[in-house]
Amino acid sequence: EENMTVTEDFSRVENTYQMEAEVCIIFSDFGKMQNVCNLLIEKLGTSVTISPPHFYHTPEAVDTLRRQVCVAAVGNTRRKAQEVCRLFGQSLGKPLLIREEETKEWGGHIDSHLSNSPDSLTLQERIQNATAYASCRVFAVFEIKGKENRRNKLL
């Protein structure tokens, strides 16, 4: 309910009362949004009008994306370093240094230079324009252990 606002307007038209309600809901799950819209249309028919969704990313969601991308970059770096060590008959040790070199973000909004107005875009185009992307480049230094060290530890 904290993500929903309802505005109601009562008016009298001749001998009847008319009520119009506007319900604005913030969804974090696209599937739930579609299910609610379908249910409203099914139950209320032509008496309901559903406006196209407005997509946006909360600052928390963007921050989570940045962290996930950085963690994935570190994981990829570690896996690559392990493969290189295996190639040379070595084993990878603990990280000595991990540094985030560069982070890039793009997308996440409807481009203002589009000739079409945002309302004229298809739902798929709106989703594509609202999708946020991020990349991260990391620098990592790992300890390299020789085969002899591993054998001595086993004995």
Side-chain angles (χ1 to χ4, degrees):
E1 290 188 13
E2 64 196 35
N3 294 329
M4 180 173 70
T5 56
V6 178
T7 307
E8 297 173 348
D9 180 40
F10 289 98
S11 59
R12 185 174 177 152
V13 180
E14 296 179 9
N15 292 333
T16 62
Y17 288 96
Q18 179 178 339
M19 180 185 128
E20 289 185 23
E22 179 181 78
V23 179
C24 295
I25 304 173
I26 298 173
F27 290 94
S28 58
D29 182 321
F30 187 76
K32 280 185 183 179
M33 182 202 72
Q34 285 184 311
N35 290 340
V36 168
C37 291
N38 290 340
L39 179 67
L40 289 172
I41 291 171
E42 178 185 317
K43 298 295 181 186
L44 301 174
T46 58
S47 68
V48 68
T49 303
I50 297 180
S51 300
H54 170 75
F55 298 104
Y56 71 96
H57 301 281
T58 63
E60 296 83 13
V62 174
D63 190 48
T64 299
L65 175 63
R66 286 185 197 117
R67 281 195 313 276
Q68 289 172 338
V69 168
C70 183
V71 168
V74 171
N76 289 341
T77 302
R78 185 174 190 285
R79 282 189 290 281
K80 287 179 183 178
Q82 281 179 319
E83 289 177 28
V84 171
C85 284
R86 272 191 230 115
L87 187 66
F88 291 107
Q90 306 292 315
S91 64
L92 189 67
K94 64 182 179 183
L96 302 174
L97 170 69
I98 298 175
R99 183 174 59 229
E100 190 174 12
E101 295 277 302
E102 179 184 31
T103 301
K104 291 182 183 177
E105 297 171 25
W106 64 98
H109 63 288
I110 295 175
D111 295 329
S112 57
H113 67 272
L114 288 174
S115 59
N116 297 338
S117 70
D119 292 336
S120 68
L121 297 174
T122 66
L123 182 60
Q124 202 60 34
E125 290 169 330
R126 293 167 68 89
I127 292 170
Q128 185 176 8
N129 285 337
T131 301
Y133 300 92
S135 70
C136 180
R137 188 176 54 159
V138 297
F139 175 80
V141 176
F142 294 94
E143 178 181 64
I144 297 177
K145 299 177 181 179
K147 286 261 183 185
E148 306 81 37
N149 292 345
R150 200 165 27 156
R151 283 188 193 136
N152 290 340
K153 285 183 181 177
L154 292 174
L155 296 175

